[in-house]
Amino acid sequence: MDFNMKKLASDAGIFFTRAVQFTEEKFGQAEKTELDAHFENLLARADSTKNWTEKILRQTEVLLQPNPSARVEEFLYEKLDRKVPSRVTNGELLAQYMSEAASELGPTTPYGKTLIKVAEAEKRLGAAERDFIHTASINFLTPLRNFLEGDWKTISKERRLLQNRRLDLDACKARLKKAKAAEAKATCEGDLWNDEVDKSEQELRIAQTEFDRQAEVTRLLLEGISSTHANHLRCLHEFVESQTTYYAQCYRHMLDLQKQLGSSQGAIFPGTFVGTTEPASPPLSSTSPTTTAATMPVEPSMAGMAPSGETALCLEEVAPPASGTRKARVLYDYEAADSSELALLADELITVYSLPGMDPDWLIGERGNKKGKVPVTYLELLS
């Protein structure tokens, strides 16, 4: 009990000395030991890394889970060290509703058949979203959290300890300065003040040694931020790859669905002008997560088209219909395969129209006095 009281009194004395030193520094009544410029730059870089890592982490969580209530629930499960329950994605829930609607409204009706097809596509989209969230959480969010909850806490602890060592050092400097000033004024008690100066110098040497040691430890930790940046860079690349894979899967699923709906639409509504809902960007190829890249679309099937020779003979003789011509913007470059086709440049405007009996994947395009077949997938119909 006696030992604990002495330790408590000693700790209280140290705390009081640091508080006095800190207060006098704030009011400009005491000198403060300044850190070198390199050390200050390390501190500033560490603070910036921490602040931006927090913001990126929080916003990525919002991206992966827009529902704030769900985020709070997941946060509580993590703090309680319990497994987060599996959650149905919005796409999967929509697929469930569409399937149930098709069963009730009639799965053999045109509307019911379409609902079933869209439900299957939405289910695949939901599964792809689930995989993306899982991959991004492991490869991107977890390393960011580990830095904030591990490395940064260690850095913060050592910085606080360095601050205390600096306050102790400056307090010792202040005591030594006062002792020397009192010694210079003393006339008859010189030996007493000599002892006080010697004691203050010894305390200053000890405080300086502890401060230098703690400054070196903190400096090494701060220099480790470079390794943190390298690790976060690698995680960022993995996040981009997983996101690219996810969007490529979504594009393929929707393209397949669009083709299915396009073929069924032609059977239900004969003569419908096909091609007004084609995507405005080329499909993505994702044979593997690391080689996913944008590629040009595959040329539309030539099935149903008249032989190129016949078309080439007739195109120049066929006049545009009196009504039914439309303006179209070219989405990306297209190189004509033969003389019956019209070469296209991205973003140019052309006039297009359809001829009786043509494949719905193709139109007749005109630019000035040039005329030729153009694929619908390369166009955005404007009016």
Side-chain angles (χ1 to χ4, degrees), residues 278-318:
E278 284 295 330
S281 59
L284 297 175
S285 172
S286 59
T287 55
S288 67
T290 57
T291 59
T292 303
T295 58
M296 297 300 292
V298 179
E299 289 188 12
S301 171
M302 294 296 292
M305 289 291 295
S308 59
E310 296 180 15
T311 306
L313 293 175
C314 300
L315 277 180
E316 299 300 330
E317 302 173 2
V318 174

Side-chain angles (χ1 to χ4, degrees), residues 105-360:
L105 300 177
T108 58
T109 64
Y111 182 43
K113 291 180 180 179
T114 303
L115 280 173
I116 292 175
K117 291 180 180 179
V118 177
E120 292 175 352
E122 294 295 336
K123 186 176 181 180
R124 290 193 291 268
L125 291 176
E129 180 183 2
R130 184 190 302 277
D131 292 340
F132 167 60
I133 293 174
H134 178 71
T135 303
S137 297
I138 294 177
N139 296 339
F140 190 61
L141 294 184
T142 298
L144 298 186
R145 287 198 191 99
N146 290 341
F147 165 71
L148 294 174
E149 298 175 2
D151 295 348
W152 181 252
K153 286 186 176 180
T154 302
I155 292 174
S156 299
K157 177 183 176 182
E158 297 300 330
R159 285 178 66 175
R160 288 193 299 269
L161 189 55
L162 177 64
Q163 173 73 353
N164 291 336
R165 294 288 183 263
R166 187 196 61 75
L167 291 173
D168 294 342
L169 174 62
D170 290 336
C172 289
K173 290 180 178 179
R175 282 197 298 269
L176 178 59
K177 184 177 180 180
K178 292 178 181 178
K180 288 184 176 181
E183 181 186 29
K185 293 181 180 180
T187 55
C188 59
E189 297 180 355
D191 293 340
L192 177 61
W193 285 109
N194 286 338
D195 293 340
E196 185 65 24
V197 170
D198 293 341
K199 180 181 178 182
S200 298
E201 289 178 344
Q202 182 179 3
E203 291 177 350
L204 177 60
R205 285 192 294 270
I206 295 174
Q208 184 69 55
T209 301
E210 293 179 350
F211 172 78
D212 293 341
R213 183 185 300 114
Q214 184 59 36
E216 180 65 17
V217 172
T218 307
R219 183 184 63 80
L220 293 175
L221 289 174
L222 293 175
E223 289 177 347
I225 293 294
S226 298
S227 300
T228 298
H229 287 183
N231 182 42
H232 289 183
L233 174 61
R234 178 183 58 81
C235 297
L236 185 60
H237 278 283
E238 294 179 355
F239 174 70
V240 172
E241 288 181 359
S242 62
Q243 195 172 30
T244 305
T245 302
Y246 166 60
Y247 286 122
Q249 291 173 344
C250 292
Y251 182 88
R252 289 200 307 274
H253 295 328
M254 294 310 298
L255 193 61
D256 293 341
L257 174 62
Q258 190 180 45
K259 290 179 180 179
Q260 295 178 32
L261 297 184
S263 60
S264 62
Q265 184 182 17
I268 300 172
F269 307 106
T272 301
F273 193 91
V274 181
T276 58
T277 58
E278 284 295 330
S281 59
L284 297 175
S285 172
S286 59
T287 55
S288 67
T290 57
T291 59
T292 303
T295 58
M296 297 300 292
V298 179
E299 289 188 12
S301 171
M302 294 296 292
M305 289 291 295
S308 59
E310 296 180 15
T311 306
L313 293 175
C314 300
L315 277 180
E316 299 300 330
E317 302 173 2
V318 174
S323 61
T325 60
R326 306 180 67 175
K327 289 292 184 180
R329 183 177 68 87
V330 179
L331 298 176
Y332 26 80
D333 296 346
Y334 175 73
E335 184 177 353
D338 52 49
S339 59
S340 67
E341 296 181 4
L342 182 66
L344 303 175
L345 296 176
D347 295 327
E348 71 172 329
L349 295 178
I350 62 174
T351 301
V352 295
Y353 53 89
S354 178
L355 295 177
M358 282 190 63
D359 189 324

